Amino acid sequence: MIQISDLHKSYTMGSNSLHVLKGLNLEIDEGEFVSIMGSSGSGKSTLLNILGILDDYDQGTYHLGGKLIQGLNETRAALTRNEMIGFIFQSFNLISFKNAMENVALPLYYQKVSRKKRNLIALEYLDRLGLKEWAHHLPNEMSGGQKQRVAIARALISKPKIILADEPTGALDSTTSFEVMDILKEINDQGKTVIIVTHEHDIAAMTKKIIRLKDGVIEEVIKNGELQLFKDRIRTE
Ligand code: ADP
Ligand code: MG
């Protein structure tokens, strides 16, 4: 599903350049449940944004579903993104003046689905996430856990193959965090590839594969509790 080879990414600010990803190799199969860990500033969000075609990379290759993702213009990038990927963020990123139903329906608006139809489908998704009664509430009337469930419904509504979540539990208390992780696990059980960024070990432990980023490469991969030897690792040994 995802194949990344020798990926490099730098940020340039004026005359300074920060080399964040330094020849990273990564493979994720369809249906995997993966967490990406690493200290703050290690490039987790940078990697996730590249995976989600929100940002470009400088060198190497990224194949998504067999297709090379490189130098796409914004229209092509958006098309691939809408077809393949659902996003979940730490701060929910809901539109504050739209109610839960309208927030969930938004991706279908961009797909030019009629208002009546997209709202009906949004209600179905809210129902699945146990939020039907909250359909007409605004985000600021909801708890953090409820807002994240709205965001999950919004990520699912376009039937993506992959869910990418950047610290999805970062703004939640631990009980609510585990509830959100249970939902992500269910989504994975239904066949979707789920990739989350987290710095919490107990959250990462709920996924099936833990990828640890360090110094711009992958330091280790732990799958079902077992350390896997990795190209990046071998090269640095
Ligand atoms: P993480 O998510 O692991 O905390 P990030 O991927 O957000 O790390 O950032 C990695 C490094 O790149 C950090 O040093 C950060 O300050 C820097 N960085 C991230 N985004 C940008 C940007 N748009 N412009 C310049 N520097 C950035
Ligand atoms: Mg980050």
Side-chain angles (χ1 to χ4, degrees):
M1 167 106 326
I2 285 171
Q3 281 140 336
I4 278 185
S5 177
D6 195 29
L7 188 82
H8 288 261
K9 171 75 181 177
S10 299
Y11 293 109
T12 307
M13 297 148 287
S15 56
N16 293 322
S17 179
L18 183 66
H19 199 178
V20 178
L21 303 179
K22 304 175 181 171
L24 183 145
N25 299 293
L26 173 64
E27 214 162 297
I28 295 174
D29 292 332
E30 186 159 10
E32 284 204 278
F33 190 14
V34 179
S35 52
I36 299 171
M37 296 197 79
S39 55
S40 177
S42 60
K44 305 181 295 297
S45 296
T46 299
L47 176 58
L48 206 75
N49 290 344
I50 292 171
L51 289 176
I53 329 178
L54 291 171
D55 204 354
D56 243 332
Y57 53 94
D58 303 322
Q59 201 183 308
T61 54
Y62 169 28
H63 286 87
L64 174 63
K67 204 166 113 182
L68 180 65
I69 305 296
Q70 199 166 60
L72 300 184
N73 64 36
E74 187 41 47
T75 313
R76 295 276 314 275
L79 275 175
T80 310
R81 218 157 42 219
N82 293 341
E83 184 193 317
M84 296 290 288
I85 297 160
F87 286 98
I88 301 167
F89 301 94
Q90 174 173 1
S91 50
F92 323 121
N93 289 15
L94 299 177
I95 296 177
S96 60
F97 56 87
K98 290 193 179 293
N99 68 32
M101 177 184 72
E102 292 162 338
N103 267 288
V104 174
L106 199 63
L108 298 184
Y109 165 82
Y110 291 113
Q111 292 176 23
K112 303 197 165 48
V113 177
S114 75
R115 181 196 300 266
K116 197 173 165 196
K117 192 167 172 198
R118 65 178 190 257
N119 284 348
L120 263 177
I121 301 171
L123 285 176
E124 271 173 46
Y125 277 86
L126 281 172
D127 192 20
R128 274 197 226 172
L129 285 148
L131 286 174
K132 201 167 189 177
E133 280 73 48
W134 292 84
H136 298 284
H137 285 260
L138 294 173
N140 68 10
E141 299 167 331
M142 308 177 89
S143 70
Q146 287 172 328
K147 281 189 269 200
Q148 198 55 302
R149 279 189 279 154
V150 172
I152 292 172
R154 180 185 57 188
L156 290 174
I157 201 166
S158 50
K159 298 193 164 75
K161 287 194 158 52
I162 304 173
I163 294 289
L164 298 179
D166 197 349
E167 310 242 11
T169 63
L172 306 175
D173 62 63
S174 57
T175 310
T176 314
S177 294
F178 287 120
E179 282 166 15
V180 163
M181 285 304 291
D182 280 335
I183 295 169
L184 293 177
K185 183 181 178 302
E186 244 173 72
I187 291 167
N188 172 251
D189 286 340
Q190 289 157 13
K192 288 196 199 299
T193 309
V194 178
I195 304 171
I196 68 163
V197 162
T198 182
H199 56 255
E200 295 164 278
H201 289 275
D202 46 355
I203 294 296
M206 293 181 73
T207 66
K208 293 176 190 150
K209 184 172 174 178
I210 302 174
I211 292 172
R212 199 177 303 277
L213 261 183
K214 195 181 173 190
D215 299 329
V217 295
I218 288 167
E219 189 189 40
E220 62 179 24
V221 178
I222 297 166
K223 191 172 180 184
N224 299 319
E226 263 181 53
L227 181 67
Q228 293 192 319
L229 274 184
F230 210 76
K231 208 165 144 195
D232 284 5
R233 198 183 144 80
I234 293 164
R235 206 172 47 193
T236 56
E237 272 168 3

